[in-house]
Every structure is written in structure tokens, then in C-alpha cells.
Amino acid sequence: MDRTKIKLQDLLKRDEMIIVPELHDCASARAAEINGFECIMLSSGDFACALTGIPDLQLLSIDEFCMITERITEAVRMPLIIDADDGFGFGRALNTWYACKRLAKAGASGILITDAAAQSKAGLIPVEEACVRFRAAKDGMLEAGTDAFLIARCDENLLEHFDAAVERMRRYVEAGADMICPLGLNGVPWQRKAEIAARISENVPGLLWYPDLGSHEGIPDVDLDEMAKLRYKMVGVHYSMHAAMIAMLDAGRHVMESKTNVYVHTHYDDTGYKCFSPMTFYLRDGYWAEKESRYVVNPEDALAKRITPFFVREDDAF
């Protein structure tokens, strides 16, 4: 498998929209890579649930975010964007500067920061304070010596306060944001999403992030090809932890009821994926067997090489 790192800047040069799965750990990142995605985002909510077993109540520290950033960026070649909420600022922009500097150093290719009120309070911070927050975030990334992207998320209600939202987003670009995410599109009725998205494009300069890949009664909310023409370069999609939870619940229920593992071994064959263990997805390309073989005197001492035949089997399907 090609392990050359993909550059976020190279992806953004393309004309089409980049679909960005929002995930929570190295395994979900690996699955996204196998599926052919080229960029990923760490969902703060999914990460919180996976790591702590507590809903996303903004209890995680910058140390925990840096840890997962380092591990995911080492595990896959895709650029990683971090959903950093208010930048661990607690209302203080210096904290946001510090957090973004550390995340960029840890390997984040992009960091999303919001204009939401600090300490999980309702509402938005004043636009002047938001601009200071975004400027601090961008300065932190630059001082890290990286070319990480700053994505400024605007949470303003687009139906009730469109002009105010536009003013905010323009100011965020001036403050250093490389891309704007108008999160308020999520609150727009599906019939009007394309219209409001187009109006934002007409009034806000620079690159845009369409907030979520949604649908209504089986029909996509917007045409991504049309959105790409309006400078929407990326779109997030939550599926990873949702799908994992459903599969774990489904499989576990059948194991409990049947007291066998027959369901797990046979039921998912029609997905096109079949393997003995998740370890298969890490051993099948031979990378780790070859890597470890370089650093042993006796070939039989290479653990990855010894265990590969057990986990990688002829009837595997990908």
C-alpha cells in the first residue's frame, strides 16, 4: 500500500468536493482509508464517547486530543482535521493559541474552531471576540511551523440573522481563517439548503466547508457537484461510530441469544468484506511483516511475519 502522505493543500486544488468522514480512533481511520477516502476529521463528540464513555460534555483535555492526533496521523496517510470546538479556550484566546500550536505540531493538517460561547454556554461570543479567537488559532498554527488550515465555524442562525452571519464570516476570513464552515445550514429546511448555500457563496469570499452530508427521504439535500462550483471544497459525514455501534449491538445480541459466534462469522459476508479478525486489515498488505523483518537477526523472531498466516486467510474479501 502506498504510504506517501496526502497533502490537504493538494486536495483543495481539485474541482470536486472532498467527502470527509468524521471518526474517533485509529481503527475508524484505517477503515476510511481502505474505503478510499482521502481526508478525515476527528469528531470531538465521537472521540469523547469512545475514549471516556461520557457524552461530549467538553471534558477532554488538549493532551488527549494531541495523543489521538499523533496516533491517527502515524497510522494513515490521509490528512487529519481536528474538531477543536472553541479551542480549549474557556473564554481565553491565549488558550486557543496554545491548543492550536500543539495540535498542529502533533500532526493536524487542519483545525476547526467555532464562534460558540465558551464553557459550553448557549449562544455565540461577540464578533470582535470571535475574531480574536480565530487570530490566536491561526497564529498558533503558524508558530508551530506547519501549513495547517484554520476552518472557522460560524454557528449563527442563517434564517433569522443571515446578514449578521455573512458579516461574521467575512470578518473571520480577515482574521486569518482559510475556510469557513456555515454550520447554520444544518438548521435550514432541506428545500432551501441549496439556495442559502448559494447566497453564502455570493457574499463570503474564500473556501467553504458544507457542514454535513445530509438527505431527506432518501434524496441528498444538495448536489455536491453544484456545491463545488460555489467554492464548497469539503463536506463532513458522520457514519463511523454510528455504524460501529449498530454492528456491535446487532452482533452482540445474536451471540447472546444463540450462545455461538455463527452469526458473526456468516451474516456480514454480503457486505463484500470478510475476514477472521480486525488484525487482518493491518497485516494484509505485508507492511508490518516487512518492517519488523529489518530489525531482527533471526527471521523467525519477526512476530508480525509469524502471525500473518493466522490472521490473513485465502477466503478474506475486501
Side-chain angles (χ1 to χ4, degrees), residues 15 17 194 198 201 222-232:
D15 293 331
M17 287 267 279
S201 177
V222 294
D223 183 321
L224 294 189
D225 291 334
E226 293 301 314
M227 290 296 103
K229 297 175 184 176
L230 300 173
R231 290 179 285 105
Y232 288 88

Side-chain angles (χ1 to χ4, degrees), residues 32 38 51 55 76 80 113 123 133 163 168 190-191 198 205 252 259 292 294 311:
E38 295 180 287
L51 185 65
V76 297
L80 173 66
I113 300 291
R133 177 185 289 176
D163 291 340
R168 278 181 174 268
W190 68 271
Q191 302 96 324
K259 296 182 174 57
E292 189 182 11
R294 299 181 192 177
F311 289 105

Side-chain angles (χ1 to χ4, degrees), residues 119-140:
Q119 299 176 326
S120 303
K121 294 180 180 178
L124 310 181
I125 58 176
V127 65
E128 293 293 344
E129 292 182 24
C131 288
V132 171
R133 177 185 289 176
F134 292 126
R135 189 169 70 248
K138 187 61 180 179
D139 285 350

Side-chain angles (χ1 to χ4, degrees), residues 3-315:
R3 290 181 180 263
T4 305
K5 292 292 185 181
I6 299 171
K7 299 282 289 183
L8 179 59
Q9 289 77 3
D10 291 338
L11 295 179
L12 294 174
K13 293 175 184 176
R14 299 180 185 173
D15 293 331
E16 74 267 23
M17 287 267 279
I18 307 299
I19 299 177
V20 184
E22 302 185 34
L23 39 77
H24 57 286
D25 65 3
C26 291
S28 53
R30 178 68 167 149
E33 188 171 55
I34 291 172
N35 281 147
F37 292 104
E38 295 180 287
C39 184
I40 51 178
M41 171 180 270
L42 181 74
S43 163
S44 58
D46 290 353
F47 178 46
C49 291
L51 185 65
T52 67
I54 300 172
D56 184 18
L57 303 178
Q58 296 189 11
L59 300 177
L60 290 174
S61 70
I62 181 60
D63 290 334
E64 289 161 314
F65 269 79
C66 286
M67 174 272 294
I68 195 64
T69 299
E70 291 171 347
R71 291 185 180 182
I72 290 178
T73 53
E74 281 294 316
V76 297
R77 60 192 293 260
M78 300 172 290
L80 173 66
I81 297 169
I82 302 298
D83 178 1
D85 294 317
D86 69 349
F88 306 90
F90 302 104
R92 188 179 184 217
L94 185 65
N95 291 46
T96 302
W97 167 85
Y98 176 70
C100 289
K101 183 176 180 179
R102 289 194 58 191
L103 288 168
K105 280 190 171 183
S109 294
I111 303 173
L112 183 146
I113 300 291
T114 81
D115 58 3
Q119 299 176 326
S120 303
K121 294 180 180 178
L124 310 181
I125 58 176
V127 65
E128 293 293 344
E129 292 182 24
C131 288
V132 171
R133 177 185 289 176
F134 292 126
R135 189 169 70 248
K138 187 61 180 179
D139 285 350
M141 295 180 196
L142 292 172
E143 291 185 41
T146 74
D147 54 3
F149 258 53
L150 170 61
I151 303 165
R153 196 184 85 187
C154 179
D155 290 14
E156 185 64 270
N157 187 307
L158 288 168
L159 294 179
E160 296 180 7
H161 308 292
F162 183 83
D163 291 340
V166 165
E167 175 62 18
R168 278 181 174 268
M169 290 186 277
R170 286 176 175 170
R171 294 283 302 277
Y172 299 166
V173 173
E174 294 172 1
D178 299 294
M179 182 179 286
I180 298 292
C181 172
L183 188 72
L185 280 170
N186 284 343
V188 173
W190 68 271
Q191 302 96 324
R192 298 191 62 195
K193 286 184 185 290
E195 170 210 337
I196 300 298
R199 287 181 62 195
I200 292 170
S201 177
E202 292 169 3
N203 289 278
V204 178
L207 304 180
L208 298 167
W209 174 296
Y210 192 87
D212 285 296
L213 192 64
S215 64
H216 177 78
E217 295 182 352
I219 301 173
D221 287 341
V222 294
D223 183 321
L224 294 189
D225 291 334
E226 293 301 314
M227 290 296 103
K229 297 175 184 176
L230 300 173
R231 290 179 285 105
Y232 288 88
K233 303 296 292 186
M234 307 185 111
V235 57
V237 56
H238 278 89
Y239 75 82
S240 182
M241 192 168 184
H242 185 185
M245 282 296 294
I246 289 173
M248 288 188 288
L249 289 166
D250 176 60
R253 179 183 61 200
H254 283 84
V255 169
M256 281 293 293
E257 290 175 351
S258 69
K259 296 182 174 57
T260 73
N261 207 24
V262 172
Y263 182 85
V264 178
H265 286 163
T266 61
H267 185 71
Y268 298 102
D269 291 355
D270 60 356
T271 64
Y273 299 102
K274 178 181 174 64
C275 64
F276 171 67
S277 163
M279 288 271 282
T280 306
F281 294 101
Y282 296 89
L283 292 168
R284 60 184 287 259
D285 63 0
Y287 174 84
W288 288 108
E290 190 277 331
K291 172 72 76 176
E292 189 182 11
S293 294
R294 299 181 192 177
Y295 308 117
V296 295
V297 175
N298 300 311
E300 63 270 19
D301 290 337
L303 176 62
K305 193 169 185 178
R306 292 203 315 273
I307 65 176
T308 293
F310 180 75
F311 289 105
V312 180
R313 304 185 176 190
E314 291 184 0
D315 63 346

